[in-house]
Amino acid sequence: MKTGIAHLYIPGPTNVPDAVRQAMNVPMQDMRAHDFGAQWIGLFNDLKGLFRTVDGTVMLFPGSGTAAWEAAITNTLNPGDRVLMARHGQFSTLWVEMAERLGLEVDVVDVDWGQGTPATEFAARLAADRKGQIKAVFVTHNETATGVTSDVAAVRRAMTDTHHDALLFVDAVSSLASVDFRMDDWGVDLAVSGSQKGLMCPAGLGVLGVSVKAMAAAQTATMRRAYFEFKDMVNLNAGGYFPYTPPTQLLHGMRCALDRIKAEGLDNVLARHARLAEGVRRAVAAWGLELVAEHPSLYSNTVSAIRVPADVDAREVIRIAYDRYCLSLGSGLSRLAGKVFRIGHLGDLNEGMALTALSVTEMAMAEAGVNIRFGSGVAAAQHWFSTGRMAGAQVNVAAE
Amino acid sequence: MKTGIAHLYIPGPTNVPDAVRQAMNVPMQDMRAHDFGAQWIGLFNDLKGLFRTVDGTVMLFPGSGTAAWEAAITNTLNPGDRVLMARHGQFSTLWVEMAERLGLEVDVVDVDWGQGTPATEFAARLAADRKGQIKAVFVTHNETATGVTSDVAAVRRAMTDTHHDALLFVDAVSSLASVDFRMDDWGVDLAVSGSQKGLMCPAGLGVLGVSVKAMAAAQTATMRRAYFEFKDMVNLNAGGYFPYTPPTQLLHGMRCALDRIKAEGLDNVLARHARLAEGVRRAVAAWGLELVAEHPSLYSNTVSAIRVPADVDAREVIRIAYDRYCLSLGSGLSRLAGKVFRIGHLGDLNEGMALTALSVTEMAMAEAGVNIRFGSGVAAAQHWFSTGRMAGAQVNVAAE
Amino acid sequence: MKTGIAHLYIPGPTNVPDAVRQAMNVPMQDMRAHDFGAQWIGLFNDLKGLFRTVDGTVMLFPGSGTAAWEAAITNTLNPGDRVLMARHGQFSTLWVEMAERLGLEVDVVDVDWGQGTPATEFAARLAADRKGQIKAVFVTHNETATGVTSDVAAVRRAMTDTHHDALLFVDAVSSLASVDFRMDDWGVDLAVSGSQKGLMCPAGLGVLGVSVKAMAAAQTATMRRAYFEFKDMVNLNAGGYFPYTPPTQLLHGMRCALDRIKAEGLDNVLARHARLAEGVRRAVAAWGLELVAEHPSLYSNTVSAIRVPADVDAREVIRIAYDRYCLSLGSGLSRLAGKVFRIGHLGDLNEGMALTALSVTEMAMAEAGVNIRFGSGVAAAQHWFSTGRMAGAQVNVAAE
Amino acid sequence: MKTGIAHLYIPGPTNVPDAVRQAMNVPMQDMRAHDFGAQWIGLFNDLKGLFRTVDGTVMLFPGSGTAAWEAAITNTLNPGDRVLMARHGQFSTLWVEMAERLGLEVDVVDVDWGQGTPATEFAARLAADRKGQIKAVFVTHNETATGVTSDVAAVRRAMTDTHHDALLFVDAVSSLASVDFRMDDWGVDLAVSGSQKGLMCPAGLGVLGVSVKAMAAAQTATMRRAYFEFKDMVNLNAGGYFPYTPPTQLLHGMRCALDRIKAEGLDNVLARHARLAEGVRRAVAAWGLELVAEHPSLYSNTVSAIRVPADVDAREVIRIAYDRYCLSLGSGLSRLAGKVFRIGHLGDLNEGMALTALSVTEMAMAEAGVNIRFGSGVAAAQHWFSTGRMAGAQVNVAAE
């Protein structure tokens, strides 16, 4: 019999704010009523603001981020198209797999898990593509498996510098509304996200930002699609309606979540993520452990993937945290299984919650055999969180 | 400012029972926790019971029934496959359109909207198909647009009689758990449904029953697919897990809904739908109006599509019911627009709710100009509902 | 296994709007936080608006309307005080009983159940009270047991005409926000209500309006009290706080309910109650049955108490409605048991809901042996509701 | 704009488990329906189990614990009765005040705030009361203001030793279901509690355990009462009904809460409270701070009242925790204001939550000027929580 809060620190689905849960607890509605659509026009507009796009179009697909991945591909590409993708973590790997399943010819660049999208290598390949055979470039903005944030702007620069007009696909599933994302500035054509990460809603909606260029490509793209057809969406969304029964509760939840983001201010949301993430990273350093991300410039503000010592199984840390302390950590995926656990620190979070994760993780690590000094990571994070807030100078920090 | 219950009598999404809403009001969960899967094994088993299949497999796709339509097609057929479909309403028409979009060669049989799947014509076409070029036969079990329930068993008999081994696809979106559906008895290979009809949950899950034969077909089918890939689902569902973040709240809602169906008993659920539907039909008869369904053998127990007199616009009836009386009726779709309104009478319903729909509809019709005697339809339904329950013989029914 | 809406037509607790349920679904709060109080100041102000008082004070007692009855008495009267009360229904009878238990000397005027407060007799008694021994006059504004609304203004006039300065207590439990209630205009000193009637919230809060004169009386009143002490309440309420842990969820619910009343407009709320109540009364007339209320001037717009024929047990009507049709009616209380059933038509209601009550009641009555023509009451109500809304003249009403 | 969990560590209302919130989210019910009562019989029985009484009676008063205090007094005592009470904190002080307001003659024993009920002094007074003028002895089992748990058994022994037959009143508001409480073993006659502490429900129900002896006293007690009358309650509770509209949602919540306590096992619940409380106390020791409770035998397992250094205002600690870190602490009440803050650690709690409170409190203290080593208290608690759970011996604890 577990008691108390089920502490959720996986990198998604994230904690749903109580206000969002309230907003979702509504009876079903008549989704063809004449006043149904009006309530959702603003939702699409506000999502555009989150993507930082002015002329782009945002669509919501009932399903997951994976559904939005597929919608992006099938609406804008043709069977057999050559595309450029990198593999540097489990999610970028799965995206490659999807592209192949859907019949694309994928130029894969494999880099270490812990690296970001290799913009330089991409630049070289794009430069070499004299005939413009590469129809799309894919970037996983925030690789959730490794806690690595890639430099989308650098990829765009590589494309610009090589005068390449491929479409730019970006997986922003775990970055939207958590890490700075700039669809228009970076010239992103297809920006894929989902409801259950920075948007603080339950899973169930794939969110897709589509540029004007991508909308044009969709006019002629011949890949087979039906459920994910852009034009069905766009036609009906214009009035706030949907081509098939929408998950209305989720729409209400997202409305509430966007209101919260507005009230906090997007820049403040991003700053908060950065602050809380830095607290976690200082704890990791105090523990003497390493992140999977190989360089500070790659550190993700939404998730930290932490390597445990070689003689400890990270799965044991996760199991102990869950079974004994009712706290969920992210597991190491695929080749990182057993070597890594992850702390998700995105969405509806505050300092106390970050410290909860750290203090329980310290116990779970210690009990799993990691040589950890109790309170050390917590103290490092507290110090960081308290910086500049001290009444005087009399504080001694344990971690120092 | 509307007050009181928002009366919902569209044929889906249907009214979500309070117990289901309660069950869904939970925080997000760790969908990779070691004890997460165990809670869903029974869900899949119970869904098999609803489909009345023993060896079939049930899958849940985040999305709508439309998503399950697509999953069924793309996993079991090959590009360019010839399939046999009928068009006799908006939803069967949309399914044809999807099949064509996905690259199938569709033999379409058009019949009047108001007719069911033409089993005899299907038999003839199957008999003529000496070379077995028809790879699949599609039946819309309950055409929600016209309120017509087709005879799936007759189609199966046609296939058996012609020794045809095409796959049998059935759209059971608005029949599952409302109208008798027998996957194994009728040899249905792909049975498509959704969460938001007889299953009494919000929209958001496509439900798909897959026969052993269809599972085998999926091994070799070459149609492109990724998000909807059966094998990803099956592998993970075996342990109660999902290939992508599932909409956990909906799973909890469905668990509760299935418990309710169990407690009532599936046969009782079907009998209740039949009883309530008959009450609505008696009201329609008392009003002197006609159903779109052309013969009693086709009457749907989940929705009645009702023709208004030629001099009245059915949209006006719907508008008045909604604007003045806070009651949603289904509209006439496509060629039935303006000629028809629909009363959904499926899911979590009782006599009082059916009478609510009828009494408000009488007012809306009268106010829209239909020559209606107030109370006449209500009385006919009351008489039917009260049959055999009278204390004595002193009752005079207005409708008689 | 019951299915569908549990139709609730008792005269309280009433149906809680979904928006109110949403608003209440919040975690516990720190009721001593520095920003806790600010959110409730407006609540007290808006309640004053509902009571139509400018200088009065409104208090919320955790408990029921009965708690507010007691708070009103114990704070403003002295042991052994003589008070003037009428008995004309179960609730006025219970109030007399409470007054006696609390040690007041009650001058009881018994009138028929079905009559209102006897203002003329009260006038006579007040005129006869030369020494001003009567310290308080009690009026049950809306006697929920009989469906009788009394004329509070007439009692005030009787007091004015006799220059009597007793305190005027009014039970507005089932009238506030449903029937016109004017605390200041009528010189009401203690106005008692509760959360679970016209305020559309769950039970749990007694609501009390206190005049300036009553507040002054509380300064010297010597009746024993502690939990209900006005001054504890007033001191803390001034800042939006409470002397003991308040039921915060209910406060949020009431906030939402008041917002709804504001949005509709109090006058519109009252007009709606009058319109729906008249529909019910026309149905009763069409059935050939009689109300307990003896004169149209006494008809309550919140509840109708309906006499069944002598050879029928009203409890059987209620039982059938509940067991067979999942609809709750109010029972006949005390001496009316078995002779009367009641339809509550207050709070969050619309025409469709009123018709639901009527149509199911017709079946329950018929099945219990009442000679009822099906649809007759429904038609009478429909006719009333549709008045002036007809498109043309072609409508024939069954009830005519 | 606050984000994340609103961390609630006041000593009540406590955190309501999600399952309880789910259970409460129901529409209103017909509280006179023939099947309404049956669902609550078990609730009363289970509450008896919590009180550890076999022959006692449990009643639920809509209201707060304060309401139950008053119900206990007014039903069993007579005006002017002499009673023996101690004052050693704000709540025992308020109870004295209530007793005086209600007309009892109170023998008050004042002891230091931080001491428990003075059983020895009580014994002396009882021994001196040769004529048996003391009609009741009051014990505040858990003084929430000071974090002191008194020895009820010792008071009972004092009564037994002096052959005194006064009634024994115990305030178990913040001890029931959190600290060992034994109504029958200790011969408690009136045990007062509330829904919002160990019972993990929102505020709104006073819970009262009444012994056979107290029930007998209620037959003849002459103190005025009406709303709180035992016999009204008992008569109706027997069938699961209530004398006035009950707060049904709270009853459902309590049903769920009791199911959770059953599933965990009452002894396990108490052990968990002891374990978590000890963690907090070890943190306090590590901080070099003192509890208000003057001796370990008095330490409360539900709340710790912590003294801050003389040069710091405890209100500032509380304000910072709330404003900067969204965490609510209990304040110092009355004479302890500014000198003390309190951490509530009762109800639905786990280790992670205790650590959240400690880690945020460390920051709030440091920022308010307390000389605190970051992580020190957290480490002490972690060490305690991890005791016996280590995989090996390689752990060094920062606090050591």
Side-chain angles (χ1 to χ4, degrees):
Chain A
M1 179 64 195
K2 293 192 167 186
T3 61
I5 293 170
H7 308 286
L8 191 68
Y9 295 94
I10 56 174
T14 64
N15 294 286
V16 175
D18 267 295
V20 173
R21 280 179 60 189
Q22 270 186 290
M24 290 177 58
N25 184 22
V26 289
M28 294 310 294
Q29 290 176 268
D30 176 1
M31 80 287 191
R32 289 203 180 89
H34 63 75
D35 57 357
F36 180 80
Q39 63 193 314
W40 308 123
I41 305 289
L43 187 71
F44 289 106
N45 287 336
D46 289 342
L47 284 168
K48 285 174 60 176
L50 278 197
F51 277 109
R52 303 209 201 249
T53 184
V54 172
D55 295 325
T57 301
V58 172
M59 301 179 208
L60 296 170
F61 290 92
S64 63
T66 313
W69 270 1
E70 181 159 330
I73 290 172
T74 55
N75 276 280
T76 61
L77 296 175
N78 302 302
D81 272 357
R82 221 174 116 201
V83 300
L84 180 59
M85 305 181 81
R87 271 193 298 230
H88 53 106
Q90 175 68 0
F91 293 96
S92 45
T93 299
L94 287 172
W95 211 8
V96 168
E97 189 180 314
M98 172 181 275
E100 289 172 345
R101 282 186 183 186
L102 292 174
L104 300 176
E105 187 180 331
V106 185
D107 281 7
V108 181
V109 183
D110 275 300
V111 297
D112 281 353
W113 287 31
Q115 290 287 358
T117 305
T120 309
E121 175 63 21
F122 271 29
R125 300 225 182 176
L126 291 165
D129 179 36
R130 298 284 153 75
K131 298 186 180 161
Q133 289 178 318
I134 295 174
K135 300 302 181 194
V137 177
F138 287 64
V139 178
T140 298
H141 186 204
N142 192 71
E143 173 52 83
T144 317
T146 59
V148 164
T149 301
S150 287
D151 187 347
V152 181
V155 175
R156 167 50 66 195
R157 278 195 304 274
M159 296 174 74
T160 304
D161 293 350
T162 56
H163 307 290
H164 206 290
D165 73 343
L167 292 168
L168 178 56
F169 284 62
V170 177
D171 175 339
V173 170
S174 60
S175 63
L176 188 70
S178 305
V179 172
D180 195 23
F181 180 82
R182 301 179 169 275
M183 187 166 163
D184 282 2
D185 288 356
W186 299 341
V188 176
D189 293 303
L190 282 308
V192 174
S193 196
S195 52
Q196 80 277 18
K197 307 271 184 176
L199 291 176
M200 309 179 289
C201 290
L205 280 176
V207 184
L208 184 62
V210 184
S211 73
V212 171
K213 181 177 171 185
M215 287 300 294
Q219 300 295 324
T220 57
T222 59
M223 204 170 268
R224 296 291 182 186
R225 62 193 178 267
Y227 183 63
F228 295 123
E229 176 62 52
F230 279 4
K231 72 168 185 279
D232 297 347
M233 273 291 169
V234 171
N235 288 344
L236 281 153
N237 285 175
Y241 292 84
F242 299 84
Y244 22 74
T245 314
T248 321
Q249 279 86 351
L250 272 173
L251 297 177
H252 284 289
M254 193 168 286
R255 177 65 273 162
C256 175
L258 294 177
D259 287 342
R260 290 178 69 81
I261 290 172
K262 264 190 181 175
E264 189 178 1
L266 179 54
D267 288 336
N268 293 331
V269 170
L270 304 182
R272 174 169 54 82
H273 278 79
R275 185 173 74 252
L276 296 174
E278 179 61 19
V280 171
R281 289 190 292 259
R282 293 199 172 208
V284 173
W287 295 334
L289 298 179
E290 294 196 346
L291 294 171
V292 173
E294 296 186 359
H295 188 270
S297 67
L298 300 169
Y299 289 167
S300 165
N301 284 338
T302 65
V303 58
S304 294
I306 300 158
R307 292 188 185 277
V308 297
D311 59 343
V312 172
D313 187 336
R315 285 169 290 218
E316 190 62 4
V317 176
I318 294 165
R319 188 194 62 75
I320 290 173
Y322 186 77
D323 284 349
R324 295 187 189 163
Y325 300 112
C326 212
L327 185 138
S328 289
L329 295 167
S331 53
L333 298 175
S334 188
R335 69 177 68 165
L336 297 178
K339 299 177 183 168
V340 160
F341 69 86
R342 294 175 295 149
I343 299 178
H345 34 74
L346 77 165
D348 189 47
L349 214 72
N350 55 33
E351 287 84 353
M353 293 170 77
L355 293 169
T356 308
L358 296 175
S359 56
V360 169
T361 299
E362 289 184 354
M363 292 194 293
M365 285 194 295
E367 295 175 26
V370 181
N371 188 348
I372 280 293
R373 195 176 55 154
F374 276 145
S376 58
V378 169
Q382 286 171 315
H383 189 238
W384 166 249
F385 294 147
S386 270
T387 302
R389 291 176 161 179
M390 291 300 162
Q394 72 276 54
V395 179
N396 301 307
V397 177
E400 288 176 349
Chain B
M1 179 65 194
K2 291 192 169 187
T3 62
I5 293 171
H7 308 286
L8 192 67
Y9 295 94
I10 55 175
T14 63
N15 294 285
V16 175
D18 268 295
V20 173
R21 281 179 58 188
Q22 271 186 288
M24 291 178 56
N25 184 22
V26 290
M28 292 311 293
Q29 289 175 267
D30 177 1
M31 81 289 192
R32 289 202 181 89
H34 64 74
D35 57 357
F36 180 80
Q39 62 194 316
W40 308 123
I41 305 288
L43 189 70
F44 289 107
N45 287 336
D46 289 342
L47 283 168
K48 285 174 61 177
L50 277 197
F51 277 109
R52 303 208 203 251
T53 183
V54 172
D55 295 324
T57 300
V58 172
M59 302 179 207
L60 295 170
F61 290 93
S64 62
T66 313
W69 270 0
E70 180 158 331
I73 290 171
T74 55
N75 276 279
T76 59
L77 297 174
N78 301 302
D81 272 356
R82 220 175 119 202
V83 300
L84 180 59
M85 305 180 82
R87 271 193 298 231
H88 53 105
Q90 175 69 358
F91 293 95
S92 45
T93 298
L94 287 172
W95 211 8
V96 168
E97 188 180 315
M98 171 182 275
E100 289 173 345
R101 282 186 183 187
L102 292 174
L104 299 177
E105 187 182 331
V106 185
D107 281 6
V108 181
V109 182
D110 276 300
V111 296
D112 280 354
W113 287 31
Q115 290 287 357
T117 306
T120 309
E121 174 64 20
F122 271 27
R125 301 224 181 177
L126 291 167
D129 179 36
R130 299 282 153 78
K131 298 186 181 162
Q133 289 178 319
I134 295 174
K135 299 304 180 191
V137 176
F138 287 64
V139 177
T140 298
H141 186 204
N142 192 70
E143 172 53 80
T144 316
T146 58
V148 164
T149 300
S150 287
D151 187 348
V152 181
V155 174
R156 168 48 68 194
R157 277 195 304 274
M159 296 174 74
T160 303
D161 293 349
T162 56
H163 306 288
H164 205 290
D165 74 343
L167 292 168
L168 177 57
F169 284 62
V170 177
D171 175 338
V173 171
S174 59
S175 63
L176 189 70
S178 306
V179 172
D180 195 23
F181 180 83
R182 300 178 169 274
M183 187 167 162
D184 283 2
D185 290 356
W186 299 341
V188 176
D189 293 302
L190 281 309
V192 175
S193 195
S195 53
Q196 79 279 17
K197 306 272 184 174
L199 291 175
M200 308 180 289
C201 289
L205 278 177
V207 183
L208 184 62
V210 184
S211 73
V212 172
K213 181 177 171 185
M215 286 301 292
Q219 299 295 324
T220 56
T222 59
M223 205 169 266
R224 296 291 182 187
R225 60 192 179 267
Y227 183 63
F228 294 124
E229 176 62 54
F230 279 3
K231 73 167 184 279
D232 297 348
M233 273 292 169
V234 171
N235 288 344
L236 282 154
N237 286 175
Y241 292 84
F242 298 85
Y244 23 73
T245 315
T248 322
Q249 280 84 352
L250 271 174
L251 297 177
H252 284 288
M254 194 169 285
R255 177 65 273 162
C256 175
L258 294 178
D259 287 342
R260 290 178 68 83
I261 290 172
K262 263 190 181 175
E264 187 177 2
L266 179 54
D267 288 336
N268 293 331
V269 170
L270 304 183
R272 174 169 55 82
H273 278 78
R275 186 173 73 251
L276 296 174
E278 179 63 19
V280 171
R281 290 190 292 260
R282 293 200 173 206
V284 174
W287 294 334
L289 298 179
E290 293 195 351
L291 294 171
V292 173
E294 295 186 359
H295 187 269
S297 66
L298 300 170
Y299 289 168
S300 164
N301 284 337
T302 65
V303 56
S304 293
I306 299 159
R307 293 186 184 279
V308 297
D311 59 341
V312 172
D313 187 336
R315 286 171 287 219
E316 190 63 4
V317 175
I318 294 165
R319 189 194 63 74
I320 290 173
Y322 185 78
D323 285 349
R324 295 186 188 163
Y325 299 113
C326 214
L327 185 138
S328 289
L329 295 166
S331 54
L333 299 174
S334 187
R335 71 177 67 167
L336 298 179
K339 299 176 182 167
V340 160
F341 68 87
R342 293 176 297 150
I343 299 178
H345 34 73
L346 77 165
D348 190 48
L349 214 73
N350 56 31
E351 287 85 352
M353 294 169 76
L355 293 170
T356 308
L358 297 175
S359 57
V360 169
T361 299
E362 289 183 353
M363 292 194 294
M365 287 195 293
E367 295 175 26
V370 181
N371 188 349
I372 280 293
R373 196 177 53 155
F374 276 145
S376 58
V378 169
Q382 287 171 314
H383 189 238
W384 166 248
F385 294 147
S386 271
T387 302
R389 290 175 161 179
M390 291 300 164
Q394 72 276 54
V395 178
N396 301 307
V397 177
E400 289 177 348
Chain C
M1 180 65 196
K2 292 191 169 187
T3 62
I5 293 170
H7 308 286
L8 191 67
Y9 294 95
I10 55 174
T14 63
N15 294 286
V16 176
D18 267 295
V20 173
R21 280 179 58 188
Q22 272 186 289
M24 290 178 57
N25 184 23
V26 289
M28 292 311 293
Q29 289 176 268
D30 177 0
M31 81 289 190
R32 289 203 180 89
H34 64 74
D35 57 357
F36 180 80
Q39 63 194 314
W40 308 124
I41 305 288
L43 188 71
F44 288 107
N45 287 336
D46 289 342
L47 283 168
K48 285 174 60 178
L50 277 197
F51 278 109
R52 304 209 202 248
T53 183
V54 173
D55 295 325
T57 301
V58 172
M59 302 179 209
L60 295 170
F61 291 92
S64 62
T66 313
W69 271 1
E70 180 158 331
I73 289 172
T74 55
N75 276 280
T76 60
L77 297 174
N78 301 302
D81 272 357
R82 219 175 118 202
V83 300
L84 180 59
M85 305 180 82
R87 272 193 298 231
H88 53 105
Q90 175 69 357
F91 292 95
S92 46
T93 298
L94 286 172
W95 211 7
V96 168
E97 189 181 314
M98 172 181 275
E100 289 172 345
R101 282 187 184 186
L102 292 174
L104 299 177
E105 187 180 331
V106 186
D107 281 7
V108 181
V109 183
D110 275 300
V111 296
D112 281 353
W113 287 31
Q115 291 288 357
T117 305
T120 309
E121 175 64 21
F122 271 27
R125 300 224 182 178
L126 291 166
D129 179 36
R130 299 283 155 75
K131 298 185 181 163
Q133 289 178 318
I134 295 173
K135 300 303 180 190
V137 176
F138 287 64
V139 177
T140 297
H141 186 204
N142 193 69
E143 172 53 80
T144 317
T146 58
V148 164
T149 300
S150 286
D151 187 347
V152 181
V155 174
R156 168 49 66 193
R157 278 195 304 273
M159 296 173 74
T160 304
D161 292 350
T162 57
H163 307 287
H164 206 290
D165 75 343
L167 292 168
L168 177 57
F169 283 62
V170 177
D171 175 338
V173 171
S174 60
S175 63
L176 188 69
S178 306
V179 172
D180 194 23
F181 180 82
R182 301 180 168 273
M183 187 166 161
D184 283 2
D185 290 356
W186 299 341
V188 176
D189 293 302
L190 281 309
V192 174
S193 195
S195 53
Q196 80 279 14
K197 306 272 184 175
L199 291 175
M200 308 180 289
C201 289
L205 279 177
V207 183
L208 184 63
V210 184
S211 73
V212 172
K213 181 177 171 186
M215 287 301 291
Q219 300 294 325
T220 56
T222 59
M223 205 170 268
R224 296 289 182 187
R225 62 193 178 264
Y227 182 63
F228 295 123
E229 176 62 53
F230 279 3
K231 74 168 182 280
D232 297 346
M233 274 291 169
V234 171
N235 289 345
L236 282 153
N237 285 175
Y241 292 84
F242 298 85
Y244 22 74
T245 315
T248 321
Q249 281 84 352
L250 271 174
L251 297 177
H252 285 289
M254 194 168 284
R255 176 66 273 161
C256 175
L258 294 178
D259 288 342
R260 291 177 69 80
I261 290 172
K262 263 190 181 175
E264 188 177 359
L266 179 54
D267 288 337
N268 293 330
V269 170
L270 304 183
R272 175 170 53 81
H273 278 79
R275 186 173 74 253
L276 296 174
E278 178 63 19
V280 171
R281 288 190 291 260
R282 291 196 176 211
V284 173
W287 295 334
L289 298 180
E290 294 196 349
L291 293 171
V292 172
E294 295 186 0
H295 187 269
S297 66
L298 300 169
Y299 290 167
S300 164
N301 284 338
T302 65
V303 56
S304 294
I306 299 159
R307 293 186 184 279
V308 296
D311 59 343
V312 173
D313 187 337
R315 286 170 288 218
E316 190 64 3
V317 175
I318 294 165
R319 188 193 63 73
I320 290 173
Y322 186 77
D323 285 348
R324 296 186 187 164
Y325 300 112
C326 213
L327 185 139
S328 290
L329 295 167
S331 53
L333 298 174
S334 186
R335 71 177 67 167
L336 297 179
K339 300 177 183 167
V340 159
F341 68 87
R342 293 175 297 150
I343 298 178
H345 34 73
L346 77 165
D348 189 47
L349 213 73
N350 55 32
E351 287 84 352
M353 294 170 77
L355 293 170
T356 308
L358 297 175
S359 56
V360 169
T361 299
E362 289 183 354
M363 292 195 294
M365 287 196 293
E367 295 175 26
V370 181
N371 188 347
I372 281 292
R373 196 177 54 154
F374 276 145
S376 57
V378 169
Q382 287 171 314
H383 188 238
W384 167 248
F385 295 146
S386 271
T387 301
R389 291 174 161 180
M390 291 301 162
Q394 70 276 54
V395 179
N396 300 307
V397 178
E400 290 176 348
Chain D
M1 178 66 195
K2 293 193 168 187
T3 61
I5 292 170
H7 308 286
L8 191 68
Y9 294 94
I10 55 174
T14 64
N15 293 285
V16 175
D18 267 295
V20 174
R21 279 179 60 188
Q22 269 185 291
M24 290 178 58
N25 184 22
V26 289
M28 293 311 293
Q29 290 176 267
D30 176 1
M31 80 289 191
R32 289 204 181 89
H34 63 76
D35 57 358
F36 180 80
Q39 63 193 314
W40 308 123
I41 304 289
L43 187 72
F44 289 106
N45 287 334
D46 289 342
L47 283 168
K48 285 174 60 177
L50 277 197
F51 277 109
R52 304 209 203 249
T53 184
V54 172
D55 296 325
T57 301
V58 172
M59 302 179 208
L60 296 170
F61 290 93
S64 63
T66 312
W69 270 1
E70 180 159 331
I73 290 172
T74 54
N75 276 279
T76 61
L77 296 174
N78 302 302
D81 273 355
R82 223 175 115 201
V83 299
L84 180 59
M85 306 181 82
R87 271 193 298 229
H88 53 106
Q90 175 69 0
F91 293 96
S92 45
T93 298
L94 287 173
W95 211 7
V96 168
E97 188 180 316
M98 172 183 273
E100 290 172 344
R101 281 187 184 185
L102 292 174
L104 299 177
E105 188 181 330
V106 185
D107 281 7
V108 181
V109 183
D110 275 299
V111 295
D112 280 353
W113 287 31
Q115 290 288 358
T117 305
T120 309
E121 175 64 21
F122 271 29
R125 300 223 182 177
L126 291 166
D129 179 36
R130 298 283 154 76
K131 298 186 180 161
Q133 288 179 318
I134 296 174
K135 301 302 180 192
V137 177
F138 287 63
V139 178
T140 298
H141 186 205
N142 193 71
E143 172 51 80
T144 316
T146 59
V148 164
T149 301
S150 287
D151 187 347
V152 181
V155 174
R156 166 50 66 194
R157 278 195 304 274
M159 296 173 75
T160 304
D161 292 350
T162 56
H163 307 288
H164 206 290
D165 74 343
L167 292 168
L168 178 56
F169 284 62
V170 177
D171 176 338
V173 170
S174 61
S175 63
L176 188 70
S178 305
V179 172
D180 195 23
F181 180 82
R182 300 180 170 275
M183 186 167 163
D184 283 3
D185 289 356
W186 299 342
V188 176
D189 293 303
L190 282 308
V192 175
S193 195
S195 52
Q196 80 278 18
K197 307 272 184 174
L199 291 176
M200 309 179 290
C201 289
L205 279 176
V207 184
L208 184 63
V210 184
S211 73
V212 171
K213 182 177 170 185
M215 287 300 293
Q219 300 294 325
T220 56
T222 58
M223 204 170 268
R224 295 293 181 185
R225 62 193 178 266
Y227 182 64
F228 295 124
E229 175 63 53
F230 279 3
K231 71 168 185 279
D232 297 348
M233 273 291 169
V234 171
N235 288 344
L236 282 153
N237 285 176
Y241 291 84
F242 298 84
Y244 23 74
T245 314
T248 320
Q249 279 86 350
L250 271 174
L251 297 177
H252 284 289
M254 192 167 286
R255 176 65 273 163
C256 176
L258 294 177
D259 288 342
R260 290 177 69 81
I261 290 172
K262 264 189 180 176
E264 188 178 1
L266 179 53
D267 288 336
N268 293 331
V269 170
L270 304 182
R272 174 168 55 81
H273 277 79
R275 186 173 74 252
L276 296 174
E278 179 62 19
V280 171
R281 289 189 292 259
R282 293 198 174 209
V284 173
W287 294 334
L289 298 179
E290 294 195 348
L291 293 171
V292 173
E294 296 186 0
H295 188 269
S297 66
L298 299 169
Y299 290 168
S300 165
N301 284 338
T302 64
V303 57
S304 294
I306 300 159
R307 292 187 185 278
V308 297
D311 59 342
V312 173
D313 188 335
R315 286 170 289 217
E316 190 63 3
V317 176
I318 294 165
R319 188 194 63 74
I320 291 173
Y322 185 78
D323 284 349
R324 295 187 189 163
Y325 300 112
C326 212
L327 185 138
S328 289
L329 295 166
S331 53
L333 298 175
S334 188
R335 71 177 67 167
L336 297 178
K339 300 176 182 168
V340 160
F341 69 87
R342 294 175 296 149
I343 299 178
H345 34 74
L346 77 165
D348 190 48
L349 214 73
N350 55 33
E351 288 84 354
M353 293 170 76
L355 293 170
T356 308
L358 296 175
S359 56
V360 169
T361 299
E362 289 183 354
M363 293 195 293
M365 285 194 296
E367 296 175 25
V370 182
N371 188 348
I372 280 293
R373 196 177 54 154
F374 276 145
S376 57
V378 169
Q382 286 171 314
H383 189 239
W384 166 249
F385 294 146
S386 270
T387 301
R389 290 175 162 179
M390 291 299 162
Q394 72 277 55
V395 178
N396 301 308
V397 177
E400 288 176 347

